[in-house]
Amino acid sequence: VKVIHSVSDISRLTEDWRKGGQTIALVPTMGWFHEGHLSLMRMARRLGTRVVVSLFVNPIQFGPKEDLAAYPRNLERDRALAEEEGVDVLFATVAAEMFGDNFQTRISLSRVSQGLCGADRPGHFDGVATIVTKLFHLTWPHIAVFGEKDLQQIALVRQMVRDLNFAVRVVGHPIVRETDGLAMSSRNSYLSQEERPKALCLFRAITHAREFVRRAVGEPVIPALIAEVEDIITSYDGCSVEYVRVVDRNSLSPCQVVDQNSVLALAVKVCGKVRLIDNALLLED
Ligand code: AMP
């Protein structure tokens, strides 16, 4: 894998690839790779003839009280993992290179950025949309692979691609989980050994919600469902609910009844410090 740090180098290389008829698949990440990231890379490897993985801990998507400084980083480890997956280029860059000292622009989406994580993290999705736009301009991808774990993020990217006519095919990858069901996340590394079992409340809540729905398809069970899910989460010592919603997987608007597109979306704080998200379709395809 070739590691590129500079904006001009990555854009020159990907422009050459484009002109040479290559199909470029991009996987945007913030690094500290786990099996979720690696699965996205494998999917990109199947879809494109050239794979670019970007690694950038993007400061403009972190709030002032969030974990920017603490976010786990290890370029050498990530480089070795990307190498094993046959990634062509790791675009590992830093804020000074991406933004310079006079950066003034934000890409802002309205409805899709509101609610869910957008309500808890003001400005977060403007930061995401802005950086994804820059990455699209810098790497010229035909395909961009995003994880469905970040439900609102992928909905936002799809909306932006439609609205702004990006010639990029956005491909979603299903959530990759640990064997006990915890969705993989770089932030899981913040959990101590004692805290780790508590993080299972999200998957337990999802499993319960799906059983609950199976017993009552089409009936207006959503408020009762949400109440039960909240009870499960708070029954874990130290876990608190940031949100529990049932939304349409595409529009993210609240569902009135459960159907094939209904997703249970969760954000939970574990032990007052680690914010984890998860989601799942309530009716399995
Ligand atoms: P991050 O480095 O957390 O910004 O994630 C980079 C990409 O990997 C995003 O598209 C995430 O949605 C995706 N991703 C992270 N964790 C998982 C997971 N457990 N399963 C599937 N995709 C994931």
Side-chain angles (χ1 to χ4, degrees):
V1 61
K2 187 178 164 74
V3 179
I4 289 184
H5 302 291
S6 106
V7 156
S8 53
D9 289 351
I10 189 73
S11 75
R12 204 173 310 121
L13 177 67
T14 51
E15 194 180 345
D16 286 348
W17 282 346
R18 272 254 169 182
K19 286 182 187 149
Q22 304 287 355
T23 303
I24 302 172
L26 169 70
V27 184
T29 80
M30 298 203 301
W32 197 250
F33 296 151
H34 50 66
E35 189 54 35
H37 296 114
L38 303 182
S39 304
L40 267 58
M41 293 176 204
R42 269 171 235 141
M43 182 179 242
R45 189 68 281 171
R46 289 194 295 275
L47 295 171
T49 59
R50 291 287 181 270
V51 175
V52 178
V53 174
S54 63
L55 193 174
F56 178 50
V57 183
N58 172 28
I60 66 169
Q61 72 186 66
F62 285 76
K65 297 200 183 105
E66 293 182 5
D67 55 342
L68 174 63
Y71 201 83
R73 295 163 168 92
N74 186 333
L75 179 58
E76 201 32 56
R77 171 185 177 278
D78 286 348
R79 196 202 62 75
L81 291 168
E83 170 88 41
E84 279 174 33
E85 298 306 333
V87 168
D88 293 288
V89 165
L90 187 60
F91 175 45
T93 194
V94 294
E97 180 67 19
M98 285 298 261
F99 300 124
D101 56 9
N102 186 28
F103 192 82
Q104 304 188 19
T105 301
R106 287 291 184 281
I107 306 291
S108 185
L109 286 82
S110 51
R111 283 191 296 286
V112 71
S113 296
Q114 288 158 10
L116 302 176
C117 291
D120 298 332
R121 306 184 69 188
H124 169 69
F125 286 112
D126 291 1
V128 170
T130 305
I131 204 67
V132 169
T133 298
K134 281 176 71 73
L135 290 169
F136 284 178
H137 288 315
L138 289 172
T139 65
W140 295 92
H142 297 81
I143 295 145
V145 183
F146 288 86
E148 286 166 2
K149 171 162 171 287
D150 296 276
L151 172 77
Q152 195 169 11
Q153 173 170 279
I154 194 168
L156 167 121
V157 172
R158 290 201 157 107
Q159 182 70 43
M160 181 177 84
V161 161
R162 279 195 297 275
D163 288 351
L164 300 183
N165 308 97
F166 281 105
V168 177
R169 178 157 77 96
V170 176
V171 178
H173 188 291
I175 300 177
V176 179
R177 297 180 180 280
E178 305 280 359
T179 46
D180 63 2
L182 177 64
M184 292 195 182
S185 165
S186 305
R187 290 191 166 99
N188 293 349
S189 64
Y190 297 152
L191 296 165
S192 69
Q193 230 176 328
E194 298 82 66
E195 290 159 354
R196 171 64 178 75
K198 299 181 198 292
L200 267 189
C201 67
L202 292 102
F203 189 64
R204 265 267 294 129
I206 285 173
T207 311
H208 179 82
R210 292 170 60 151
E211 278 163 17
F212 183 99
V213 165
R214 218 166 293 137
R215 282 185 257 122
V217 179
E219 287 170 30
V221 293
I222 291 173
L225 171 72
I226 289 176
E228 289 210 9
V229 164
E230 290 183 343
D231 284 349
I232 289 177
I233 292 165
T234 51
S235 75
Y236 283 68
D237 196 26
C239 293
S240 57
V241 172
E242 299 242 314
Y243 62 74
V244 174
R245 301 265 197 293
V246 177
V247 297
D248 179 87
R249 71 193 301 191
N250 301 310
S251 69
L252 303 186
S253 52
C255 295
Q256 303 308 319
V257 290
V258 174
D259 64 25
Q260 299 291 333
N261 288 319
S262 299
V263 176
L264 178 72
L266 308 175
V268 170
K269 245 301 153 63
V270 181
C271 298
K273 60 170 199 190
V274 187
R275 185 181 183 280
L276 300 177
I277 57 171
D278 203 339
N279 70 83
L281 285 170
L282 282 170
L283 293 169
E284 195 49 66
D285 307 309

